[in-house]
Amino acid sequence: YDTVIVDEAARTSPMDLLIPMAQASKRIILVGDHKQLPHTIDEEVTRRLEDGEDSIQLKESMFAYLFRRLQKLTEQDGILRTVTLDAQYRMHPQLGNLVSRAFYEGTVQSPLGAELFAQSLEGTHGRPAMLLDVPCALGRESREGTSRLRRAEAEVIVRQLKCWMASEAGRKLTFGVISFYKAQTELIARGPAPERGWAGRSRL
């Protein structure tokens, strides 16, 4: 191919990234976030790599390495090889500004006004984020195959979502659940007992 485009390149393992890159005869376009966590490595593989001499793959993605290398080349010859988006439109500006300061040296702006993200869900006090405390005494996480889940958290999340969905403030809203683990999202979608089956009647 003349051009190969790889999306979510930061989440791809080095070998999986090299395979499509090798098919390009003229140009390679990598799309991703160099500040994102690198691809997931199995815990046993991680332990073995840490015991060895070279564990650079555990610290950054190949995408992040290439991003830095291309920026250094640009400094030498002036040819622009990287483009960084500097605005986000998906979240409340307070959250966007927090992420910008913590990870992007304050370079990412949030152009949309806070009023576009306003909501009055119970317990949030109008704030763009809240934390639900689920102490370890309620139950710890467990493994399910190569994934993980924590039933105590799933029960709290399901209960909170049911409350919001049934409220006047939440009737016209849609809700999404994001988790680090597939088993956890599947448990929430099923509804941990005694809430089984609730998701099928919701707008989750």
Side-chain angles (χ1 to χ4, degrees), residues 40-44 47 140-151 153-154 179-188 190:
T40 304
I41 301 177
D42 182 83
E43 292 180 0
E44 180 60 27
R47 284 193 291 270
R140 297 179 177 273
E141 69 176 24
S142 59
R143 293 187 70 97
E144 185 173 286
T146 58
S147 189
R148 294 175 183 269
L149 57 83
R150 187 174 179 221
R151 187 169 297 276
E153 286 183 1
S179 171
F180 289 108
Y181 301 105
K182 183 178 180 180
Q184 183 75 349
T185 56
E186 290 178 345
L187 177 62
I188 293 170
R190 293 195 306 267

Side-chain angles (χ1 to χ4, degrees), residues 9-10 17 30 33-36 38 59-71:
L17 190 58
L30 303 179
D33 186 348
H34 61 292
K35 296 289 189 176
Q36 193 174 28
K59 299 176 182 178
E60 67 174 358
S61 65
M62 185 177 181
F63 177 82
Y65 169 77
L66 292 173
F67 186 87
R68 289 189 292 103
R69 288 288 298 162
L70 293 174
Q71 285 187 320

Side-chain angles (χ1 to χ4, degrees), residues 46-90:
T46 300
R47 284 193 291 270
R48 292 182 181 180
L49 284 173
E50 288 175 341
D51 291 337
E53 296 180 358
D54 186 3
S55 60
I56 187 171
Q57 293 180 19
L58 301 178
K59 299 176 182 178
E60 67 174 358
S61 65
M62 185 177 181
F63 177 82
Y65 169 77
L66 292 173
F67 186 87
R68 289 189 292 103
R69 288 288 298 162
L70 293 174
Q71 285 187 320
K72 289 182 179 179
L73 287 175
T74 297
E75 293 174 1
Q76 296 173 10
D77 57 23
I79 299 175
L80 184 63
R81 297 178 175 88
T82 62
V83 176
T84 303
L85 302 181
D86 59 2
Q88 70 83 24
Y89 300 88
R90 65 174 59 181

Side-chain angles (χ1 to χ4, degrees), residues 8 87-93 95-96 110-112 117 178:
E8 290 291 350
Q88 70 83 24
Y89 300 88
R90 65 174 59 181
M91 67 183 81
H92 191 288
L95 300 179
S110 299
L112 297 181
F117 301 89
I178 300 174

